[in-house]
C-alpha cells in the first residue's frame, strides 16, 4: 500500500498555489481553551495551593499533601535507571555544556571618546521556571536543554514543574543538572503557579519549556499580564524541511522526514529537490519505512499536509526554504556548505548525510528549543543569552563630560527636553566655578 505520494512541481504552480503549498497546518483558535485557562490562572492566583490540589486531582488524578519531590527521591533516581541510559544522558549533558559554555559573551569595555567609558555586562536572571511536559515519553532531553544553559548563565533559582508522576528519567536529568526544587504539578495550573507563586511553589521571573495547547495558552496569558513573567517562546508543531540533490541517500531523507512527522498530527515535513528521480526513490522509501513505525496513524495525518516539491535547481530550493523559514533544515547535497551561504531563515540546520535531526534533538550539543511556524524569520534558537540580561554601564570623567557637554545640550534642546539639558549644565557650571574660582 502506498501511503504517501505528494509531489508538486514548483514552476508549474501559480503564485497563489506556491503560497498555499507552504502553509502550515491551521492552528484553530479555541475559545473554550482560552476561557478554561483563564479560569485556572485566576483560581491559582487567588487560591494558591488549594487550587493546585483541586486541578491536580481533577486533571491528573493525583492527590498528595505536597507537590515537592523529596531530595532523597531525586537522588535515588540515579539507581533507578540503567547504566547505559545514564551514560547516554551524561554524554548529551557534556556536549550541551560544551556548546553553551562557548556562548559566554565577550565583555565590552571601551572609551567611546576620551573620558567617556562605556561597558556592557551580562547578569543572570534571578529565578526561572522549567516546565517539562509528560505524555507518550518522558522528555528528559528538554531538562538538559533548559537546565544546562541556566546553570552556566548563573541563574540563582531554578524551579522545575512536570505532571505527576514525574518519570525517573526526568528526575535523573534534573539531578545531574543540580536542580533541587522539583514539583509534581502540570498543565496550565503549573504555569500559573510559576507565574504568581503559591504557598509551596515560588514565583519566577521567566518560564521556559514546551507543552500542550493549554500550557501554551497559559504561557501566552501570564506573559501578557502586567508584571507577569517573561516566557521563552510559544512552541508550535514540529517541522522539518530537507534540501537534497541527486547525490543524497533517499533512505536517509525518508527516515528524517518520518522522524519529524511522528511528533504529532500537526507536524509538517517538506522535501525540496531538483531531482525527480530522487523524489520518487524517497517516496518508495517512506512507504517502506512506514511499515516499521508504531505511530502510524499520527504520521499519516502529518503526511497529509506534507509534500515533496520539485524545483528548477538548488538555488531555488534555498529561496523556497527562506520563504518557509523552517524550524529544522537538513541540507543533504554534495556540497552542503555552499548551500548554507544562501540560507537566511532557519532555526537549526543540519549539514550532510551524517547529520540527522535526531542529533540536535538529543546530544550534538546545540539546543532543541526552537522557533516554529515561520518565526525563524526574526527569532533565534534558545541559548545562553535567554537566561541572561544585558546591562549597560557608563562612566564619564569631569573632562569627558566637558568634552561631550556641548553635544548633549544641543541634542536635548533639539528634542525640547530642558531638564536633560539642565542635568548637564548644572555640572558644567559647577566645574567652571571650581576651576575658575
Amino acid at each position: 500500500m502506498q501511503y504517501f505520494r505528494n509531489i508538486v512541481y514548483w514552476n508549474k504552480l501559480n503564485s497563489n498555489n506556491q503560497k498555499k503549498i507552504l502553509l502550515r497546518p491551521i492552528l484553530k483558535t479555541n475559545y473554550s481553551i482560552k476561557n478554561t485557562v483563564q479560569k485556572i490562572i485566576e483560581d491559582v492566583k487567588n487560591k494558591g495551593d488549594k487550587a493546585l490540589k483541586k486541578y491536580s486531582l481533577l486533571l491528573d488524578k493525583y492527590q498528595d499533601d505536597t507537590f515537592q519531590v523529596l531530595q532523597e527521591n531525586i537522588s535515588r533516581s540515579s539507581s533507578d535507571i540503567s547504566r547505559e541510559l545514564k551514560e547516554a544522558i551524561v554524554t548529551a549533558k557534556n556536549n550541551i555544556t560544551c556548546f553553551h559554555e562557548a556562548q559566554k559573551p565577550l565583555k565590552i569595555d571601551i572609551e567611546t571618546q576620551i573620558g567617556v567609558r562605556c561597558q556592557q555586562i551580562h547578569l543572570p536572571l534571578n529565578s526561572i521556571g522549567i516546565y517539562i511536559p509528560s505524555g507518550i515519553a518522558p522528555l528528559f532531553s528538554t531538562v538538559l536543554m533548559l537546565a544546562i544553559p541556566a546553570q552556566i548563565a548563573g541563574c540563582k533559582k531554578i524551579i522545575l514543574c512536570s505532571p505527576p508522576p514525574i518519570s525517573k528519567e526526568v528526575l535523573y536529568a534534573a539531578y545531574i543538572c543540580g536542580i533541587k526544587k522539583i514539583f509534581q504539578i502540570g498543565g496550565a495550573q503549573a504555569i500559573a503557579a510559576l507565574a504568581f507563586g503559591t504557598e509551596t511553589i515560588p514565583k519566577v521571573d521567566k518560564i521556559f519549556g514546551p507543552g500542550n495547547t493549554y500550557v501554551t495558552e497559559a504561557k501566552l496569558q501570564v506573559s501578557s499580564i502586567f508584571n507577569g513573567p517573561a516566557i521563552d517562546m510559544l512552541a508550535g508543531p514540529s517541522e522539518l524541511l530537507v534540501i537534497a540533490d541527486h547525490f543524497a541517500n533517499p533512505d536517509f531523507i525518508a527516515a528524517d522526514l518520518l522522524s519529524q512527522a511522528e511528533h504529532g498530527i500537526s507536524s509538517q515535513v517538506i522535501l525540496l529537490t531538483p531531482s525527480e528521480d530522487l523524489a520518487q526513490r524517497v517516496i518508495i522509501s517512506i512507504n517502506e519505512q512506514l511499515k516499521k513505525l508504531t505511530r502510524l496513524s499520527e504520521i499519516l495525518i502529518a503526511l497529509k499536509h506534507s509534500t515533496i516539491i520539485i524545483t528548477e535547481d538548488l538555488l531555488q530550493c534555498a529561496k523556497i526554504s527562506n520563504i518557509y523559514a523552517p524550524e529544522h533544515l537538513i541540507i543533504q547535497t554534495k556540497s552542503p556548505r555552499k548551500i548554507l551561504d544562501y540560507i537566511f531563515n532557519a532555526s537549526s540546520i543540519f549539514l550532510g548525510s551524517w547529520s540527522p535531526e535526531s542529533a540536535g534533538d538529543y546530544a550534538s550539543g546545540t539546543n532543541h528549543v526552537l522557533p516554529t511556524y515561520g518565526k525563524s524569520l526574526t527569532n533565534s534558537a534558545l541559548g545562553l543569552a535567554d537566561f541572561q540580561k544585558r546591562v549597560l554601564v557608563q562612566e564619564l570623567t569631569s573632562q569627558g563630560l566637558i568634552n561631550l557637554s556641548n553635544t548633549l545640550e544641543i541634542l536635548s534642546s533639539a528634542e525640547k527636553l530642558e531638564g536633560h539639558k539642565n542635568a548637564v549644565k548644572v555640572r558644567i557650571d559647577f566645574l567652571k566655578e571650581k576651576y575658575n574660582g
Side-chain angles (χ1 to χ4, degrees):
M1 179 178 179
Q2 193 175 52
Y3 296 103
F4 179 75
R5 54 179 183 274
N6 300 344
I7 290 186
V8 299
Y9 294 81
W10 185 257
N11 287 345
K12 291 183 180 180
L13 301 174
N14 60 36
S15 59
N16 284 336
N17 286 333
Q18 287 176 347
K19 290 176 184 176
K20 285 180 183 178
I21 209 72
L22 296 181
L23 288 176
R24 268 81 172 177
I26 296 173
L27 300 178
K28 295 180 180 177
T29 301
N30 189 320
Y31 291 102
S32 173
I33 290 176
K34 281 190 173 185
N35 292 335
T36 299
V37 167
Q38 188 174 21
K39 183 179 184 304
I40 291 172
I41 289 172
E42 284 300 314
D43 234 5
V44 173
K45 187 177 179 182
N46 295 325
K47 299 177 183 176
D49 282 353
K50 183 180 178 182
L52 292 183
K53 289 176 181 178
K54 178 181 78 171
Y55 289 114
S56 195
L57 181 61
L58 179 67
L59 302 175
D60 291 321
K61 306 297 183 283
Y62 178 79
Q63 188 172 16
D64 201 344
D65 290 335
T66 179
F67 301 109
Q68 187 163 2
V69 179
L70 296 175
Q71 189 60 46
E72 61 193 62
N73 292 338
I74 299 173
S75 303
R76 193 187 305 142
S77 64
S78 180
S79 57
D80 287 341
I81 62 177
S82 69
R83 187 182 69 178
E84 182 183 47
L85 179 55
K86 282 196 289 188
E87 288 176 352
I89 291 174
V90 169
T91 297
K93 178 181 181 290
N94 291 341
N95 288 346
I96 295 164
T97 300
C98 180
F99 185 73
H100 288 78
E101 282 275 5
Q103 295 176 28
K104 287 182 176 178
L106 295 173
K107 291 180 181 178
I108 297 174
D109 188 348
I110 62 170
E111 268 198 331
T112 54
Q113 66 180 65
I114 294 173
V116 180
R117 180 184 180 186
C118 294
Q119 294 171 268
Q120 179 175 280
I121 61 176
H122 292 78
L123 301 177
L125 301 183
N126 182 56
S127 60
I128 65 151
I130 292 175
Y131 184 81
I132 305 298
S134 62
I136 295 168
L139 293 181
F140 55 87
S141 59
T142 302
V143 179
L144 303 178
M145 297 291 175
L146 298 174
I148 290 170
Q151 292 283 17
I152 294 170
C155 297
K156 298 176 183 67
K157 189 188 298 179
I158 303 174
I159 312 298
L160 188 150
C161 289
S162 189
I166 300 180
S167 75
K168 55 186 181 293
E169 294 89 353
V170 166
L171 288 178
Y172 178 70
Y175 171 68
I176 66 169
C177 288
I179 299 178
K180 294 180 173 60
K181 291 193 175 182
I182 301 175
F183 297 91
Q184 295 195 104
I185 188 75
Q189 60 271 26
I191 302 302
L194 291 169
F196 304 108
T198 70
E199 299 90 328
T200 302
I201 300 175
K203 178 185 185 301
V204 300
D205 299 323
K206 189 172 182 178
I207 300 172
F208 296 80
N212 61 19
T213 51
Y214 289 89
V215 169
T216 302
E217 177 62 31
K219 286 173 70 177
L220 175 63
Q221 289 192 24
V222 298
S223 66
S224 303
I225 295 171
F226 176 73
N227 210 28
I231 60 172
D232 52 351
M233 62 185 75
L234 298 173
S238 188
E239 57 200 35
L240 168 67
L241 187 144
V242 179
I243 294 175
D245 59 15
H246 67 280
F247 294 102
N249 185 312
D251 294 333
F252 294 176
I253 294 171
D256 287 331
L257 294 172
L258 291 172
S259 75
Q260 287 306 292
E262 76 174 349
H263 268 294
I265 60 174
S266 297
S267 298
Q268 186 175 55
V269 295
I270 294 173
L271 168 61
L272 301 175
T273 179
S275 172
E276 187 174 352
D277 176 64
L278 176 74
Q280 295 294 348
R281 286 186 290 146
V282 168
I283 286 177
I284 292 170
S285 186
I286 285 175
N287 290 303
E288 280 300 312
Q289 291 187 43
L290 271 170
K291 298 173 185 176
K292 304 170 188 174
L293 299 177
T294 53
R295 302 190 65 195
L296 184 61
S297 58
E298 290 95 336
I299 293 172
L300 290 179
I301 295 173
L303 290 179
K304 283 182 179 178
H305 37 74
S306 300
T307 192
I308 295 175
I309 299 174
I310 307 298
T311 64
E312 187 174 57
D313 52 30
L314 288 174
L315 187 58
Q316 189 175 60
C317 289
K319 289 178 180 177
I320 297 168
S321 178
N322 286 327
I323 294 169
Y324 185 75
E327 176 191 20
H328 304 102
L329 170 61
I330 293 178
I331 305 176
Q332 289 193 41
T333 60
K334 186 178 181 181
S335 303
R337 287 198 174 271
K338 288 184 179 179
I339 306 301
L340 182 62
D341 292 339
Y342 296 95
I343 299 299
F344 310 116
N345 303 319
S347 298
S348 191
I349 302 173
F350 303 78
L351 299 180
S353 297
W354 313 112
S355 307
E357 187 278 332
S358 311
D361 267 355
Y362 293 108
S364 65
T366 60
N367 208 292
H368 76 201
V369 180
L370 306 167
T372 61
Y373 226 72
K375 296 297 183 183
S376 299
L377 282 167
T378 54
N379 296 353
S380 305
L382 196 80
L384 192 66
D386 295 283
F387 297 85
Q388 297 177 318
K389 54 193 176 186
R390 294 192 311 277
V391 178
L392 306 178
V393 179
Q394 46 262 295
E395 180 182 12
L396 281 66
T397 63
S398 57
Q399 188 60 50
L401 180 60
I402 291 170
N403 295 341
L404 195 58
S405 61
N406 188 50
T407 297
L408 297 175
E409 291 186 28
I410 290 171
L411 294 174
S412 53
S413 290
E415 290 193 346
K416 296 181 173 60
L417 295 173
E418 292 302 316
H420 284 62
K421 179 179 179 180
N422 188 57
V424 177
K425 187 175 184 298
V426 293
R427 287 173 167 82
I428 298 301
D429 289 346
F430 174 86
L431 289 171
K432 285 179 179 178
E433 184 177 339
K434 179 181 178 181
Y435 293 129
N436 297 332

